[in-house]
Amino acid sequence: VFGQVSFLAVDHLRAMLRAGRLLSAAGDEVDLSQLQRLALPITFLHGEKNRRFLPVGTEETLLALAQENDPALYIRKTFPGYGDTDCLLGKHASEDVFPAILEHLQRSR
């Protein structure tokens, strides 16, 4: 499905899930006082049926970023009927989700 790609991001997510908190790539605890470093356009896409990463997680992340930075930088979109990887690999992702990705890319130029 993925071809030749690095799974460093997947390994990083796995380490954070095991630890139950945010970690840097080096495995150190993340300093949340540095949220201003994420003052850039981010669109959070979340499958409403995602039970691996609950939808409330992206909601809380957006709120934390918006308190520290310009709230206009952040958008959160949830997709009914979608689970965790469905947003990228789902049968109708190209019609339901991909337009939101294109919108983000056009907004962020």
Side-chain angles (χ1 to χ4, degrees), residues 64-84:
L65 289 167
Q67 285 178 350
E68 185 70 31
N69 302 308
D70 179 1
L73 291 170
Y74 310 109
I75 294 173
R76 178 177 176 268
K77 296 185 180 222
T78 58
F79 296 91
Y82 282 80
D84 80 8

Side-chain angles (χ1 to χ4, degrees), residues 7-21 23 52-53:
F7 278 90
L8 290 175
V10 174
D11 292 339
H12 189 184
L13 283 172
R14 186 179 305 120
M16 289 190 291
L17 286 170
R18 284 188 186 133
R21 62 184 187 283
L23 300 173
R52 182 163 302 156
F53 299 100

Side-chain angles (χ1 to χ4, degrees), residues 22-95:
L22 291 175
L23 300 173
S24 71
D28 304 316
E29 193 161 342
V30 172
D31 179 2
L32 293 179
S33 69
Q34 300 293 317
L35 291 180
Q36 74 275 7
R37 295 174 64 192
L38 291 173
L40 53 110
I42 298 175
T43 298
F44 296 93
L45 307 174
H46 211 119
E48 203 171 60
K49 291 186 173 183
N50 187 336
R51 293 300 169 245
R52 182 163 302 156
F53 299 100
L54 298 177
V56 70
T58 51
E59 186 176 336
E60 290 173 355
T61 301
L62 183 144
L63 290 172
L65 289 167
Q67 285 178 350
E68 185 70 31
N69 302 308
D70 179 1
L73 291 170
Y74 310 109
I75 294 173
R76 178 177 176 268
K77 296 185 180 222
T78 58
F79 296 91
Y82 282 80
D84 80 8
T85 58
D86 297 345
C87 286
L88 295 177
L89 303 174
K91 183 176 182 179
H92 299 287
S94 62
E95 298 140 18

